[in-house]
Amino acid sequence: MNAVPTADQMKPTPGWTVAVVACAAQFMVVLDTTIVNVALPSMRADLDLTSAGQQWVINAYLLTFAGFLMLGGRAADLFGRRRVFTAGLVLFTLAGLLGGLATNGPLLIGARTLQGLGAAFLAPAPLALINSYYQDVRIRTRAIAAWGATATAAGSCGILLGGVLTDGPGWRWVMFVNVPIGVALVAVALRSLPVSPGEGRGRPLDVPGAVLVTAALACASYALSGMEAHSWATPRTGGVLALACVLLVAFVMVEARGEQPLMPLRIFRNRSLVLGNLAALAIGAVTTSVMFFITLYLQHVLGYTPMEAGLAMLPLTVAIAVASLLARRLVQAMGPRLPLVLGWLLTAGGLLWQSRFTAEGTFVTDVLGPGILLGLGLGTTVLPMTIAATSGVPAQDAGLASAMMNTARQMGGGLGLAALNALAGAVMGAAAVTTAVTTRGYAAALVGAAGLSLAAGALALFMPKPRPAASAPAA
């Protein structure tokens, strides 16, 4: 007698739907970290924003995103990844609609804050879904490679797309652009993503831990965001950073004593995870700084418009995406350690070559060549870093590991940019502001980024071989 198939057996296999949804969601989240930058002058003129208000259009998203990522990752593990993913996607999409309809600065900043909150609950789930759904190692590696390429390229694409939308239909479409995509993704997610019940079963979220880590990250981000105007010795920077350290120590104490901690400290016994997150910090710092200083060089030194600068960054973006996909074969053949070292060496070489640009430079000689080498290096680091940061993690902690990695990249971007910007300012000094002086400052920052890349490559030598997750759930 033939067995009657169960309901689960009769469901169609989503195939690559999970990977496509994960990549699309990650593109939306990362895109919104950069797409607003080009539109800020138009927003300021239309909504009568102050200088501080203009800054908080960016910071409201980044602070909320980085601060709530850990909570979003743990919520995905406890309450089900599809449920948390869909809720975050709905909030993210509605916030984009509200931002596009904003009639004043506070409404726009409030919408960006809600968008950051939605992104924090949306971002951790895609990688966890990929890791738990695709059981075949080769297929899972291909899916992670596509996810990494999407995440890395989205930041650069945001600069170009922001210029296109601002010059075309207007700045409001910088906010509206995610609405149709979000609506479509919600429909696909509810229909096709696998259901994971989560491990909650009455277990509450660690609210004290969530508040402490969010406050610590928010204070650190707030202090770093104002370092251009306030030195380390002022209460605005040094005092708030000291408060962030106190809150972080309090968070560790709460997590060590809690019965159901937001971030179990046992997870740090995984050497691969620790080194993977250090690599994520470095990738965030180098990528953010490269985009920042090369874009400034193109506009302030070579005189490019925002649209032209975005187009000039495309070769770097394409190189990152291509290398992220090609790195799959290297990782399959050698594991994550050697490709990560190779990626950092290529990145350092590209940065040192890029730092030789001059005030009379040209696109082909001073931007295109080093940009391609730099993109190949950065792209090669993404997949091995992602595998290392999530390798050997139990299935119930997959969302947490993903959130930690995303948080590390966000915080690395802020800390690295602050430090390298301070280095550039020190080289410029009190000399008269000329294109030659400005170029020397930018070059010094890129040399500093090359040093960071070499240090990250040295740390990667201690990376252990990846281990499978302890208890991977059925797809």
Side-chain angles (χ1 to χ4, degrees):
M1 175 182 283
N2 294 331
V4 177
T6 64
D8 287 338
Q9 290 172 331
M10 295 174 64
K11 290 180 180 179
T13 302
W16 284 103
T17 302
V18 173
V20 171
V21 171
C23 290
Q26 187 71 355
F27 188 87
M28 289 172 63
V29 168
V30 179
L31 185 77
D32 267 56
T33 63
T34 58
I35 193 172
V36 172
N37 287 277
V38 178
L40 281 175
S42 297
M43 291 177 172
R44 181 172 184 175
D46 196 16
L47 302 181
D48 197 24
L49 289 171
T50 63
S51 178
Q54 182 178 245
Q55 177 182 336
W56 275 100
V57 172
I58 301 293
N59 288 345
Y61 180 82
L62 293 179
L63 289 176
T64 315
F65 184 18
F68 281 90
L69 261 175
M70 298 296 294
L71 183 63
R74 200 58 182 158
D77 288 332
L78 293 180
F79 304 124
R81 286 153 198 155
R82 191 181 80 164
R83 183 181 296 115
V84 173
F85 173 83
T86 306
L89 186 56
V90 169
L91 180 58
F92 187 90
T93 304
L94 288 176
L97 178 63
L98 292 174
L101 296 174
T103 56
N104 55 55
L107 286 178
L108 178 60
I109 293 170
R112 289 285 288 172
T113 301
L114 289 176
Q115 201 168 37
L117 182 61
F121 284 88
L122 169 62
L127 185 58
L129 283 167
I130 288 175
N131 277 322
S132 62
Y133 179 75
Y134 296 108
Q135 300 300 299
D136 186 284
V137 174
R138 291 175 299 176
I139 296 177
R140 183 167 65 243
T141 302
R142 290 173 62 189
I144 293 176
W147 176 90
T150 301
T152 308
S156 304
C157 291
I159 298 174
L160 177 60
L161 186 58
V164 171
L165 293 174
T166 303
D167 288 344
W171 70 262
R172 294 184 183 277
W173 279 93
V174 169
M175 302 296 296
F176 285 148
V177 67
N178 284 321
V179 175
I181 302 174
V183 171
L185 282 180
V186 168
V188 174
L190 291 175
R191 180 179 177 83
S192 303
L193 290 188
V195 177
S196 56
E199 302 293 332
R201 296 185 179 91
R203 294 165 57 188
L205 280 173
D206 176 16
V207 177
V211 170
L212 286 171
V213 72
T214 300
L217 292 175
C219 287
S221 300
Y222 179 76
L224 291 171
S225 68
M227 281 193 61
E228 284 190 40
H230 306 275
S231 70
W232 289 94
T234 62
R236 169 64 174 75
T237 301
V240 177
L241 282 176
L243 177 60
C245 292
V246 171
L247 291 170
L248 189 59
V249 171
F251 167 71
V252 173
M253 294 175 63
V254 168
E255 299 307 285
R257 298 175 182 177
E259 295 183 3
Q260 304 291 346
L262 173 68
M263 187 179 68
L265 299 184
R266 57 177 164 74
I267 202 169
F268 290 104
R269 297 172 187 168
N270 186 326
R271 180 157 57 101
S272 179
L273 178 142
V274 172
L275 291 175
N277 276 277
L278 289 176
L281 277 168
I283 288 174
V286 173
T287 303
T288 303
S289 301
V290 162
M291 300 300 177
F292 181 79
F293 288 109
I294 295 180
T295 301
L296 289 183
Y297 171 74
L298 290 170
Q299 296 185 62
H300 291 174
V301 177
L302 298 187
Y304 283 30
T305 66
M307 177 75 70
E308 292 169 340
L311 288 170
M313 298 292 285
L314 280 181
L316 170 64
T317 303
V318 172
I320 290 174
V322 170
S324 297
L325 294 172
L326 295 179
R328 172 175 59 89
R329 298 186 182 277
L330 291 176
V331 172
Q332 287 176 340
M334 299 182 290
R337 180 172 57 187
L338 292 180
L340 190 57
V341 173
L342 174 63
W344 283 124
L345 290 176
L346 291 174
T347 300
L351 285 165
L352 291 175
W353 184 4
Q354 187 80 76
S355 68
R356 296 176 62 83
F357 53 32
T358 65
E360 296 79 25
T362 64
F363 169 72
V364 174
T365 59
D366 293 278
V367 179
L368 179 61
I372 291 175
L373 180 60
L374 179 56
L376 292 175
L378 285 172
T380 304
T381 63
V382 174
L383 177 60
M385 176 275 293
T386 303
I387 292 175
T390 57
S391 176
V393 176
Q396 66 269 20
D397 291 330
L400 172 63
S402 176
M404 287 178 61
M405 184 188 65
N406 278 287
T407 301
R409 289 187 69 166
Q410 293 293 326
M411 295 308 297
L415 181 61
L417 181 58
L420 294 174
N421 199 36
L423 174 61
V427 171
M428 294 179 194
V433 179
T434 63
T435 54
V437 171
T438 301
T439 303
R440 284 200 298 270
Y442 296 162
L446 295 178
V447 171
L452 177 60
S453 300
L454 292 174
L459 280 177
L461 292 172
F462 297 93
M463 193 81 67
K465 292 183 178 180
R467 294 177 287 116
S471 55

